[in-house]
């Protein structure tokens, strides 16, 4: 089973997705109070789920495309 506290690893391929920058902008452009380090950590944590969802969606789309090519 996967741990709930798995470490987060940035994937360079995310930068190739057209949705990447809008996701980052949405998560990063929030008004935060606190120290700079606290705000950095908060911003990075807020990116974790949207970026993981992005890779899952990309993976799903890739599998659909691969399957459709096999059916032709």
């Amino acid at each position: 089973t996967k741990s709930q506290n798995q470490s987060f690893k940035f994937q360079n391929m995310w930068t190739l997705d057209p949705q990447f920058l809008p996701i980052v902008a949405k998560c990063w452009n929030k008004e935060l109070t606190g120290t700079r380090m606290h705000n950095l950590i908060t911003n990075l944590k807020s990116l974790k789920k949207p970026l993981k969802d992005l890779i899952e969606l990309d993976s799903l789309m890739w599998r659909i495309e691969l399957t459709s090519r096999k059916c032709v």
Side-chain angles (χ1 to χ4, degrees):
T1 63
K2 291 186 177 183
S3 170
Q4 291 287 33
N5 293 326
Q6 266 187 338
S7 63
F8 177 77
K9 295 184 181 172
F10 182 82
Q11 303 294 322
N12 286 330
M13 68 182 164
W14 288 332
T15 62
L16 302 175
D17 192 297
Q19 296 177 39
F20 174 76
L21 286 178
I23 288 171
V24 171
K26 182 178 178 182
C27 291
W28 211 262
N29 291 331
K30 294 179 182 174
E31 186 83 22
L32 298 174
T33 59
T35 65
R36 288 181 182 170
M37 183 59 73
H38 176 266
N39 293 346
L40 174 65
I41 292 168
T42 301
N43 283 333
L44 291 174
K45 283 182 178 181
S46 73
L47 280 171
K48 187 175 181 176
K49 176 141 178 42
L51 290 180
K52 284 189 175 196
D53 290 346
L54 178 65
I55 194 63
E56 288 175 11
L57 178 61
D58 285 347
S59 177
L60 175 64
M61 297 302 288
W62 180 80
R63 284 183 279 167
I64 290 170
E65 183 178 332
L66 186 62
T67 302
S68 66
R69 287 181 185 176
K70 287 180 180 180
C71 293
V72 174

